[in-house]
Amino acid sequence: MKQPTPGQTASEFWDELYGERDAVWSGRANPLLVRGAQDLTPGRALELGSGEGGDVIWLAQQGWQVLGVDVSATAIARAAGHVAEAGVADRVEWAQHDLATDFPEGEFDLVSAQFLHSPLEQEGERARILRRAAQAVAAGGVLLIGSHAAAAKLDGDEDDHAHDDYEFPTTAQMLEQLALPDSWQVELDEEVTSRFSWTDGREGNRTDSVLRIRRPRQDA
């Protein structure tokens, strides 16, 4: 992934990345989101790091009312266009937040954090964001976290060095960091290996994790 320049803010970095090309991501919903949310009853959803809107569109198509949140105004504008083209704009709202310092208000039946990794991430930052995300889950709702579990392996390469400096947490580590009450129920805790295509057309394998945790209808 592109690396930030010294002193660059999160919004500047991601605006620059999205501005370099017409499409950064595939436009399709993340398979881990589909895996973790396809059997849920639609309600109000919060999509953290909504990017170009692929996950937001899928959720809206399933009947969710979605708040898409991203640090990049460029990404939000692009995603809003895709949502309008998909015919689900009436089910979607947008908000720009730097989750490291600012978090949207409200409670949600689903809080989705898919691949919330960043080269600007400070130590402990992701864990703090996910703890705040758990606080936004309504009674009886779920927190759904999709994460890279290891650096991707490109075909023909021993290693891919795109994430050499990044430590990918295990689901056990994430649960420890979340420090949720025992009354919260882990409903899904899996690692999934799949094929992927790099931005330059090369292909490889990657291992990701999905974690779905449900808040009780009444906190103990």
Side-chain angles (χ1 to χ4, degrees):
M1 175 179 280
K2 173 186 176 71
Q3 295 300 303
T5 58
Q8 195 171 35
T9 67
S11 60
E12 290 170 343
F13 170 80
W14 290 104
D15 276 340
E16 184 177 290
L17 185 145
Y18 283 110
E20 289 177 346
R21 62 192 77 172
D22 293 334
V24 175
W25 315 116
S26 70
R28 299 184 296 273
N30 278 306
L32 296 185
L33 170 70
V34 176
R35 192 183 191 95
Q38 60 188 347
D39 62 339
L40 297 178
T41 300
R44 190 168 182 232
L46 173 62
E47 175 65 24
L48 300 175
S50 49
E52 292 167 321
D55 288 353
V56 169
I57 290 171
W58 183 85
L59 286 167
Q61 289 173 335
Q62 310 312 304
W64 294 86
Q65 289 290 149
V66 190
L67 175 60
V69 171
D70 205 278
V71 70
S72 168
T74 302
I76 290 174
R78 186 175 298 172
H82 295 327
V83 163
E85 292 169 0
V88 292
D90 60 328
R91 306 196 66 84
V92 177
E93 295 178 282
W94 302 98
Q96 184 179 4
H97 290 273
D98 182 347
L99 296 173
T101 59
D102 184 29
F103 202 91
E105 296 296 325
E107 290 189 337
F108 302 85
D109 303 297
L110 167 65
V111 178
S112 170
Q114 303 303 307
F115 301 111
L116 201 63
H117 307 290
S118 171
L120 293 94
E121 184 180 317
Q122 301 298 310
E123 184 177 357
E125 181 179 301
R126 185 174 187 267
R128 289 192 296 273
I129 292 171
L130 292 178
R131 283 195 292 270
R132 181 63 185 85
Q135 294 173 12
V137 177
V142 302
L143 174 62
L144 181 63
I145 306 170
S147 307
H148 294 309
K153 302 296 183 183
L154 292 165
D155 292 344
D157 290 346
E158 288 294 323
D159 295 292
D160 174 56
H161 300 287
H163 299 98
D164 273 353
D165 297 328
Y166 194 93
E167 182 179 347
F168 294 96
T170 65
T171 55
Q173 288 172 325
M174 283 186 276
L175 286 169
E176 182 178 359
Q177 292 166 352
L178 286 167
L180 296 170
D182 292 340
S183 55
W184 287 60
Q185 181 182 0
V186 177
E187 297 183 333
L188 187 62
D189 181 348
E190 294 180 351
E191 283 197 357
V192 181
T193 300
S194 61
R195 297 288 293 171
F196 77 99
S197 295
W198 206 247
T199 52
D200 60 6
R202 293 179 296 168
E203 296 184 342
N205 293 317
R206 76 182 198 193
T207 301
D208 300 319
S209 68
V210 56
L211 189 60
R212 188 174 95 182
I213 320 161
R214 186 175 296 275
R215 184 173 192 162
R217 294 197 175 277
Q218 184 174 353
D219 286 331

